[in-house]
Structures are given as C-alpha cells and as structure tokens.
Amino acid sequence: MPGRLKPVAEQTIVITGASSGIGLATARRAAEAGARVVLVARNKQALDEAAEQIRLRGGKAAALAIDVAEPGAAAKIGAFCIDSFGMFDTWVNDAAVALYGRVDETSMEEHRRVFDVGYFGLAAASIYAAQQLRQHGGALINIGSVLAERAMIYQGVYSAMKHAVRGFTDALRMELEAEGAPVSVTLIKPNGIDTPYPEHARNKLGEPARIPPIAYDPELVARAILFAAENRKRELTVGGGGYLVSKMGNLAPGMTDKVMEMIGFGSQTTARPPRSGTNDNLFKPRRDGETHSNREMYVRKQSLALEAQMRPWAAAAILGGVAATLFTLAKRRRTSGEAVQDLGLAAHQTDGTDSSAQMEALIADENMVPERLP
C-alpha cells in the first residue's frame, strides 16, 4: 500500500527543464527547503551557473546537461543522481519545447520535435522513474497545462502535446494504483505563466510572442510541485484563469472557439522582442538562466484556486464561515424589517407613546444591536 511521502527537506529531487522558468524556480525553492536537487536540461552553462548559485546559498545541487529526447536519457539521469546523492525520492518532468504558429504552417519535423521532448521524453522518464520508485516509494510529477483541457489557437502543436501528456499520466497513475505501487503520480496544470517560454518558442506569427493574459508567477507552480512532492494529489491547477478556460470550453465550446479566434493573435503577440540570444530553442539550446520573461505585463503572484486545492478543508471552512455570516446578516435584515413594520402598526394604535422609544426598546429586546440607538 502507498506510504507517506518524505518531507521535501529529506528528499533528493530530479527536475528536468531546470535551466529556466518553472524548473529553475522549483530547483531553487527545493534547495532552500533543504532538498538535494539534480538539475537537468540541455544548456550546460546555464545549469552549472544555477547549481553553483544554489551551492553558494548553502544548498545541495548537481547538474547534468542532456537532451531528454535522447534515447536512454532517463537511465543516464538516474545513474547521475545516484552517483551524486543516492536514489531519488521525487522526479519532476518539466522539460518541453514550444512553437507559436498555424498548424498547417508547421512541418512534421517541428511537430515531432515538440512531441519528442514534451511527450516521448516525459513518457520514457516517467516509466523509468516509476520502476525505480516502486522499490521504496516516492512521487512522480508531470507538468501539463490548462491547454490539455482546451487547445489554444496558434499553439496547436503544443496543446496537442499537452493533451497527450495528460492522457499518458492518467493511464500510468491508474496502472500503478491498480498494482498497489507506492508511487504518487501528480499532474500539474499551470495557466499562462510568466516564464521565458514565449522567448524560447519557435515563432511563426510575424511578431514577438507572449503569454496570453492572465499570467501567473512561476513561483506559484514551484509551490504546487513541492506540495505534490510531500502530499499525494491527483492534479493541481495553478491559476483560477485556468479553471475558467476549462469550464468555458466544456460548457460552450463553440462560443469559446469564436472568442479565441477573435483575440488569439492579439493576446499572444507583443511589440517587445525577446532578449538577445534567447529566441527559438526548438532544436538547439539558447541563452538561459531566467525564471521570468522580459514581457511587460500584469503578473499575478497569488492564486486562491491553488490554495483551495492544496488545503481543501481550510477552503471549505472559510466558505462555510462566509456562507454562515451572509445567512445571519440576511436573517437580521429580514427580522429588523419585520420589527419596523410591527412598530409602525403599534404607533398608530397607541396614544401618547414616543414611537422612537418603542422602536429602541423593541430592537433592544430582539438583541439586534449591542448598544442603545442614538
């Protein structure tokens, strides 16, 4: 039967796609919490610098430059982790590449590359990690997207890849649960996150790309990942906007199509160009090492929806308290109105009585106010 997951401070955590964005933010946060971290990505310089920064802050980190789409990459990562810190406790699959453009203008070579990294690399790593974690338990965390629920125009190939990630992750989870394996499998579904993603993506839109609003801080995704490393969760969606997109697409798919068709281009383009050396890492690594994009936009640093998922009982208690308060206020307002009506009737029936005094006495008797009326 599945056992308890270790506290992050006692874990060794493997993170792919750790040279920028969500992966880098997670590696830093995990190291700050006391975890031993293995950073994996293609860009050796960026990885070595990130690992060195972690060590300078007192953390424990090792870096391996490798393409997760390479045959046998997962086993090589696992062996490197064991040599560096011993067996891993959590494996995070975050590596991905992306592309902005029309589906009919995307070559099959580009299609395959997006899937080789984001799906086949993730699938191979998940199967390897699950095999190892069967022995002593642990967590497998795959980074999906809200685009696994609802495809985005001009990000069709990436959306399709994330749909595949969701299907694979759900199937693997069921198989592990059916055999009673002590492996927690979590799918993290971020909304649009303010990372270098649009700078790194291959862009065929003719204008610089950006994340469509509302964008969220990558630190929120890092929090969700580390929460899943300690707590068995099926899914976590980061950003309330992601829920709205999903539900809107389910309830009114045709209308959602029309909205995306109207705003899809404008919401995903900007006048601000990528930082020098960062653009288009589809086939080769480019300049890296940043957690946030260089785009000027509003970024949410909190997500009440995420907090509610991580602490459902606390959220239920808060909602219950709010509902009880609203009910009490409504009841008092109704009672107060009935009292005023009764007082008006009594005033007409009583000669020589001060109506304001009667009202004050009546309200005091009903305990509707804590002190005398002025």
Side-chain angles (χ1 to χ4, degrees):
M1 293 297 292
R4 294 189 62 182
L5 299 174
K6 294 180 182 178
V8 165
E10 300 175 11
Q11 291 195 28
T12 295
I13 301 178
V14 172
I15 305 171
T16 71
S19 59
S20 67
I22 292 168
L24 180 55
T26 304
R28 289 172 174 170
R29 182 177 282 262
E32 289 174 1
R36 300 168 295 276
V37 183
V38 175
L39 295 83
V40 180
R42 294 174 294 170
N43 191 319
K44 185 178 188 305
Q45 180 180 351
L47 282 179
D48 288 343
E49 290 176 355
E52 181 62 20
Q53 289 173 358
I54 288 173
R55 289 191 288 266
L56 289 174
R57 295 188 180 98
K60 298 177 181 179
L64 176 64
I66 191 170
D67 188 338
V68 298
E70 174 186 314
K76 294 176 183 178
I77 295 168
F80 177 80
C81 177
I82 292 171
D83 289 342
S84 301
F85 299 121
M87 180 54 66
F88 55 86
D89 302 286
T90 293
W91 185 296
V92 181
N93 284 312
D94 177 56
V97 291
L99 183 148
Y100 284 82
R102 292 173 57 96
V103 171
D104 59 5
E105 294 177 354
T106 303
S107 70
M108 285 298 106
E109 182 184 21
E110 292 166 333
H111 264 89
R112 290 190 184 95
R113 180 59 183 169
V114 171
F115 271 78
D116 281 345
V117 177
Y119 174 73
F120 289 110
L122 176 144
S126 297
I127 292 170
Y128 169 82
Q131 289 173 342
Q132 303 304 312
L133 292 173
R134 279 185 175 94
Q135 307 304 316
H136 60 87
L140 169 65
I141 302 171
N142 288 340
I143 309 304
S145 171
V146 295
L147 298 188
E149 306 285 345
R150 216 311 159 180
M152 182 66 180
I153 189 172
Y154 306 128
Q155 290 193 61
V157 178
Y158 184 83
S159 298
M161 180 268 289
K162 289 300 185 181
H163 273 71
V165 166
R166 181 189 179 192
F168 168 82
T169 303
D170 287 348
L172 178 61
R173 182 191 302 108
M174 289 187 288
E175 292 173 3
L176 291 169
E177 288 178 348
E179 69 179 66
V183 184
S184 173
V185 180
T186 303
L187 180 66
I188 307 288
K189 299 188 295 184
N191 194 62
I193 306 298
D194 179 36
T195 70
Y197 170 98
E199 298 177 71
H200 287 159
R202 175 162 290 190
N203 183 4
K204 299 188 174 190
L205 296 181
E207 297 182 18
R210 68 165 180 166
I211 294 293
I214 301 171
Y216 293 81
D217 193 291
E219 292 294 334
L220 291 173
V221 190
R223 283 192 62 220
I225 291 170
L226 296 188
F227 180 84
E230 294 182 326
N231 301 272
R232 296 178 181 277
K233 296 291 290 186
R234 186 178 189 278
E235 289 186 357
L236 288 170
T237 299
V238 181
Y243 277 119
L244 294 178
V245 170
S246 299
K247 297 305 179 184
M248 184 175 170
N250 291 335
L251 296 174
M255 183 182 73
T256 306
D257 287 347
K258 295 300 181 184
V259 171
M260 289 189 170
E261 290 163 15
M262 289 188 293
I263 68 171
F265 185 86
S267 67
Q268 296 183 90
T269 55
T270 179
R272 190 178 182 87
R275 283 169 285 212
S276 176
T278 63
N279 61 304
D280 193 357
N281 71 353
L282 186 61
F283 289 97
K284 295 181 180 180
R286 302 285 286 166
R287 176 185 167 186
D288 230 333
E290 303 289 343
T291 56
H292 295 75
S293 76
N294 73 333
R295 300 333 195 208
E296 295 179 350
M297 58 183 175
Y298 172 69
V299 177
R300 289 189 61 88
K301 296 184 181 298
Q302 293 182 330
S303 171
L304 296 180
L306 175 61
E307 296 297 331
Q309 293 168 84
M310 293 193 298
R311 296 170 180 81
W313 292 110
I318 292 172
L319 290 175
V322 170
T325 300
L326 292 175
F327 175 79
T328 301
L329 291 174
K331 183 178 180 181
R332 287 186 174 183
R333 179 174 295 179
R334 183 172 62 252
T335 304
S336 178
E338 292 173 353
V340 170
Q341 291 179 353
D342 292 343
L343 179 62
L345 179 61
H348 285 294
Q349 295 176 342
T350 305
D351 294 330
T353 303
D354 188 335
S355 61
S356 63
Q358 284 186 334
M359 179 181 290
E360 183 176 344
L362 179 59
I363 293 176
D365 287 342
E366 295 294 332
N367 295 316
M368 288 184 288
V369 292
E371 58 187 9
R372 291 174 60 85
L373 291 174

